[in-house]
Amino acid sequence: MADSRLDNSAASQCLVDGKPADTLSVLDRGLSYGDGVFETMRVAKGRIALLDYHLVRLRRGLGVLRMSADLADVVAELGAVAEQLQNGVIKLTLTRGRGQRGYAIPYPARATRICQSFAPVSYPPENAREGISLYPCETRLAVQPLLAGIKHLNRLEQVLARSEWSEPTYAEGLVRDTQGNVVECTVSNLFLLHEDHWVTPDLQYCGVQGVMRDYLIDQMQSSGQRVEVRRVGVATLRESTEVFCCNSLFGVWPVTALGDASWSIGPRTRQAQALAEQVIM
């Protein structure tokens, strides 16, 4: 049978259903329909950063897609891979497994588990130190409340948004929904300091609910800071005094520019950066 080959080079090791492999059936529904979920996790000193948050999102995604998977096996495998890797990145993908042609969910369905490990990602240190400029993406996120927040396998909107620029001037791109609301960046979430409190876009209609976003919200609120989750217009973004983007791999990057708008890197952003570094370094 023909297969889809996975990268299994020295810098990338792959397990499929717990066994070393570099092929996947072309009948897998993850390939055919994007029918599945994934998590990308940073590993530092043999430990997966924000693992509990990743597992919460994973369970939520499986529930939305009505998929079943043995999470005890998942956790055990992640722990073993992280211990061996020590420092780097693990990408866990769970698909609904093999099925025949057609959208109907096969029964019984047997999930396919793919666990890939990679060398550490090297980001320019000036992104964290000096801040980044955002590219204003034209690609819009479609409104779909059922799939909003989860990290399902169909990421074509993000692929198209990221394809809009190649200039090294931009480290990330701002993405809005079809109604013009600010939602997120291509691979990260946004926080804005507006009227002396943090605001982060509501993701109940579209976008990915990042684990670093959730962690920072919890940490900020536990320290008495006000964090408002709501719809954000471009005007609110421009009026903000500090802006940053975040994800579980690079932590926090201050945002200093978007078109003709600019922001300073303030002390509140540096505090958020320190909170992120506590769990990813």
Side-chain angles (χ1 to χ4, degrees), residues 125-139:
E126 57 268 23
N127 288 1
R129 186 176 63 247
E130 301 170 13
I132 65 167
S133 296
L134 295 182
Y135 182 87
C137 296
E138 291 297 326
T139 303

Side-chain angles (χ1 to χ4, degrees), residues 29-262:
R29 289 177 62 92
L31 173 65
S32 298
Y33 306 117
D35 192 358
V37 292
F38 73 104
E39 295 289 329
T40 307
M41 297 161 277
R42 179 158 176 165
V43 179
K45 301 175 183 177
R47 179 184 58 86
I48 297 176
L50 300 172
L51 177 59
D52 289 345
Y53 286 87
H54 282 289
L55 292 176
V56 166
R57 185 173 61 185
L58 181 63
R59 290 188 184 97
R60 186 167 63 243
L62 292 171
V64 168
L65 297 186
R66 297 192 289 277
M67 279 180 57
S68 60
D70 191 330
L71 291 185
D73 286 349
V74 168
V75 172
E77 183 170 271
L78 289 175
V81 172
E83 184 176 358
Q84 181 181 20
L85 182 62
Q86 282 299 301
N87 294 286
V89 175
I90 294 175
K91 181 178 180 181
L92 171 72
T93 303
L94 295 175
T95 81
R96 204 182 299 273
R98 293 175 57 174
Q100 299 303 314
R101 191 191 65 80
Y103 293 142
I105 295 175
Y107 181 82
R110 181 180 180 275
T112 299
R113 184 177 76 250
I114 305 166
C115 187
Q116 295 171 276
S117 57
F118 302 89
V121 180
S122 178
Y123 295 106
E126 57 268 23
N127 288 1
R129 186 176 63 247
E130 301 170 13
I132 65 167
S133 296
L134 295 182
Y135 182 87
C137 296
E138 291 297 326
T139 303
R140 298 288 184 262
L141 300 180
V143 172
Q144 174 47 274
L146 179 63
L147 298 177
I150 69 173
K151 206 158 186 180
H152 56 77
L153 294 179
N154 190 330
R155 303 259 62 92
L156 286 178
E157 293 170 326
Q158 286 77 12
V159 168
L160 293 176
R162 182 58 186 88
S163 72
E164 292 185 28
W165 83 92
S166 58
E167 304 93 327
T169 306
Y170 305 104
E172 252 287 33
L174 180 73
V175 186
R176 294 181 287 161
D177 63 19
T178 52
Q179 299 173 337
N181 297 300
V182 172
V183 179
E184 60 189 5
C185 296
T186 62
V187 298
S188 58
N189 292 118
L190 273 174
F191 281 78
L192 328 170
L193 190 62
H194 187 260
E195 296 180 349
D196 204 38
H197 67 273
W198 288 114
V199 174
T200 191
D202 187 354
L203 303 176
Q204 66 175 312
Y205 300 103
C206 58
V208 176
Q209 187 174 332
V211 299
M212 181 59 76
R213 172 185 181 270
D214 287 351
Y215 163 77
L216 289 175
I217 290 173
D218 287 346
Q219 292 296 308
M220 290 170 174
Q221 290 180 335
S222 67
S223 67
Q225 298 184 63
R226 178 185 170 193
V227 182
E228 186 178 5
V229 179
R230 63 175 174 85
R231 287 195 171 188
V232 174
V234 174
T236 300
L237 173 61
R238 295 177 68 92
E239 293 166 359
S240 299
T241 53
E242 296 182 34
V243 181
F244 71 80
C245 62
C246 64
N247 76 12
S248 61
L249 295 186
F250 64 67
V252 167
W253 286 347
V255 174
T256 58
L258 171 69
D260 62 355
S262 62

